[in-house]
């Protein structure tokens, strides 16, 4: 448009503004061709946003992309139903489709979402725990608390723990318990073993039925458990001797308190192995120190314990340091407090409350914690992960060796996982 064509009443600025207005949709750019749009349409933006939302929904907890059944179906060129039948080994899948799906799974590194699958099945899982009979506030009560807490944490999968208790060193009691467990057809088992050959009769039947089991307290690799949770007993006993000798290296003799069932055997293989480690260190580093053994039988009364300890300390006034490789250090600790023997101390195992009280009052010099609660929790959790979620489980899981003194005992987190 030429400026001379403007009306006299129309200002020049208005004409210029008119020329700056863009061409309407569908107009040409002077060459007869439509001008290409450089901006995304609303529908294109919306489609892009939907794709991004899909990608975000498919991300797992680690931030990586999670492959879905639909993704596999698209890649293989088959239906979602076909992929589902292949993944669950169902019939009615043609050989050609099977090859396509398997190839897609391999190329995409697909891992099934076992968590969602387990929830969808809504099945109940019954785990049976075979352990020794124990008193209130004892070490095994701590283990049991951990097991029950693990069930609570896995309640979405309907996990239940059933407790069976056998008498220590009573083979018939152990047999009756494991036969009842086998009759219940458990999904998994946690077992605190008795003697090797007695326990083998149980675990062989578990293997025959393909029932996985976890071992606590004593590690017996020949029985081929799914996993073991506990301390390295030999290393623990060796460490206990080394620690005791930091305060008792000048002594001529020390006392080793044991609890036997038949006058010879202690309650578990674990305690036997601790004593081997303890004596190994003493022989290598302090062979001149005499180890005096005192037996406080399991079936004896408190009155009998008192008499045994009185006779011992009356005849061994030179002894100022004692050790026990079980959780009953408080039996000696209480005697020392009641008889005001302030120049004698004992060390032992397990942060049970009776031991903790003696530690605070000074009759126990230190304790080695086994983390029983942690062992109990992980034993059930390992069964859940292996059986329900199809996860691999570490076969050997040694607990930390933690030392407790009166200065730090109140900071010990018994239920820490």
């Amino acid at each position: 448009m030429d400026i001379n064509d403007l009306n006299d009443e129309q200002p020049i600025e208005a004409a210029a503004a008119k020329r700056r207005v863009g061409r309407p949709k569908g107009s040409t750019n002077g060459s007869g061709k439509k001008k290409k749009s450089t901006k995304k349409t609303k529908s294109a933006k919306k489609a892009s946003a939907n794709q991004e939302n899909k990608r975000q929904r498919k991300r797992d907890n680690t931030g990586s992309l999670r492959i879905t059944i639909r993704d596999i179906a698209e890649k293989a060129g088959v239906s979602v139903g076909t992929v589902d039948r292949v993944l669950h080994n169902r019939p009615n899948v043609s050989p050609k489709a099977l090859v396509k799906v398997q190839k897609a799974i391999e190329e995409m590194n697909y891992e099934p979402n076992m968590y969602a699958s387990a929830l969808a099945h809504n099945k109940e899982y019954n785990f049976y725990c075979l352990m020794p009979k124990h008193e209130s506030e004892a070490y095994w009560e701590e283990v049991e608390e951990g097991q029950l807490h693990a069930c609570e944490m896995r309640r979405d999968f309907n996990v239940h723990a059933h407790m069976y208790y056998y008498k220590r060193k009573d083979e018939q009691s152990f047999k009756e318990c494991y036969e009842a467990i086998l009759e219940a057809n458990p999904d998994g088992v946690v077992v605190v073993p008795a003697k090797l050959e007695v326990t083998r009769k149980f675990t062989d039947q578990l293997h025959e039925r393909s029932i996985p089991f976890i071992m606590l307290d004593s590690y017996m690799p020949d029985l081929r458990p799914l996993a073991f949770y506990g301390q390295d007993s030999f290393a623990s006993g060796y460490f206990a001797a080394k620690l005791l000798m930091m305060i008792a290296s000048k002594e001529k003799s020390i006392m080793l308190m044991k609890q036997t069932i038949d006058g010879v055997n202690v309650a578990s293989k674990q305690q036997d192995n601790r004593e081997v480690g303890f004596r190994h260190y003493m022989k290598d580093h302090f062979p001149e120190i005499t180890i005096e053994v005192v037996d406080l039988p399991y079936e004896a009364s408190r009155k009998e314990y008192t008499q045994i300890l009185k006779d011992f300390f009356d005849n061994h006034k030179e002894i100022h340091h004692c050790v026990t490789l079980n959780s009953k250090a408080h039996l000696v600790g209480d005697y020392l407090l009641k008889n005001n023997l302030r120049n004698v101390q004992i060390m032992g195992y397990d942060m049970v409350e009776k031991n903790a009280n003696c530690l605070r009052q000074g009759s126990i010099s230190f304790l080695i914690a086994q983390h029983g609660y942690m062992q109990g929790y992980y034993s059930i959790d390992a069964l859940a992960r292996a059986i329900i979620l199809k996860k691999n489980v570490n076969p050997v899981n040694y607990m930390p060796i933690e030392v407790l003194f009166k200065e730090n005992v109140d900071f010990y987190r018994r239920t820490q996982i």
Side-chain angles (χ1 to χ4, degrees), residues 62-237:
T62 65
S64 58
L65 288 176
R66 179 171 59 82
I67 307 300
T68 67
I69 293 179
R70 186 174 297 279
D71 295 327
I72 297 171
E74 290 177 358
K75 185 173 182 63
V78 298
S79 69
V80 171
T82 298
V83 176
D84 184 73
R85 286 192 291 275
V86 172
L87 291 175
H88 294 90
N89 296 315
R90 297 193 184 108
N92 302 323
V93 179
S94 69
K96 185 177 180 180
L98 178 63
V99 171
K100 287 182 178 181
V101 173
Q102 290 176 337
K103 183 179 179 182
I105 289 172
E106 183 178 348
E107 290 177 354
M108 300 177 79
N109 294 319
Y110 172 74
E111 292 185 3
N113 186 346
M114 299 309 302
Y115 192 97
S117 178
L119 289 176
H121 279 85
N122 197 32
K123 177 186 174 182
E124 286 194 359
Y125 295 89
N126 292 290
F127 300 147
Y128 284 73
C129 306
L130 179 55
M131 64 176 63
K133 285 186 177 180
H134 52 269
E135 304 170 354
S136 177
E137 298 184 12
Y139 167 73
W140 292 110
E141 186 176 53
E142 191 172 312
V143 173
E144 189 173 333
E145 287 178 17
Q147 292 170 334
L148 294 176
H149 183 221
C151 291
E152 176 64 21
M153 295 302 292
R154 294 291 188 181
R155 62 184 179 276
D156 288 350
F157 299 125
N158 298 315
V159 170
H160 306 284
H162 308 271
M163 308 299 174
Y164 279 73
Y165 309 101
Y166 65 91
K167 294 180 181 179
R168 286 282 196 181
K169 301 298 180 180
D170 187 334
E171 294 185 10
Q172 184 59 32
S173 174
F174 186 85
K175 181 180 178 182
E176 289 173 359
C177 286
Y178 80 62
E179 286 179 345
I181 290 173
L182 290 170
E183 188 175 348
N185 194 29
D187 295 293
V189 173
V190 178
V191 57
V192 178
K195 288 183 178 179
L196 176 62
E197 292 309 315
V198 178
T199 308
R200 189 191 300 275
K201 294 177 182 179
F202 179 32
T203 57
D204 281 351
Q205 294 185 67
L206 292 175
H207 282 300
E208 288 175 8
R209 301 185 186 192
S210 299
I211 300 173
F213 64 94
I214 304 288
M215 299 193 79
L216 298 180
D217 189 56
S218 301
Y219 182 37
M220 299 178 177
D222 291 347
L223 302 185
R224 296 175 291 127
L226 174 67
F228 164 75
Y229 288 89
Q231 280 188 346
D232 183 327
S233 301
F234 179 90
S236 178

Side-chain angles (χ1 to χ4, degrees), residues 354-371:
K354 291 179 181 178
N355 283 345
N357 288 336
C358 289
L359 186 63
R360 294 184 187 101
Q361 296 179 70
S363 62
I364 291 181
S365 51
F366 56 84
L367 294 168
I368 294 177
Q370 291 189 78
H371 294 277

Side-chain angles (χ1 to χ4, degrees), residues 297-306 308:
Y298 268 97
E299 301 301 325
S301 65
R302 179 67 65 144
K303 184 177 180 180
E304 289 173 304
Y305 291 158
T306 298
I308 293 170

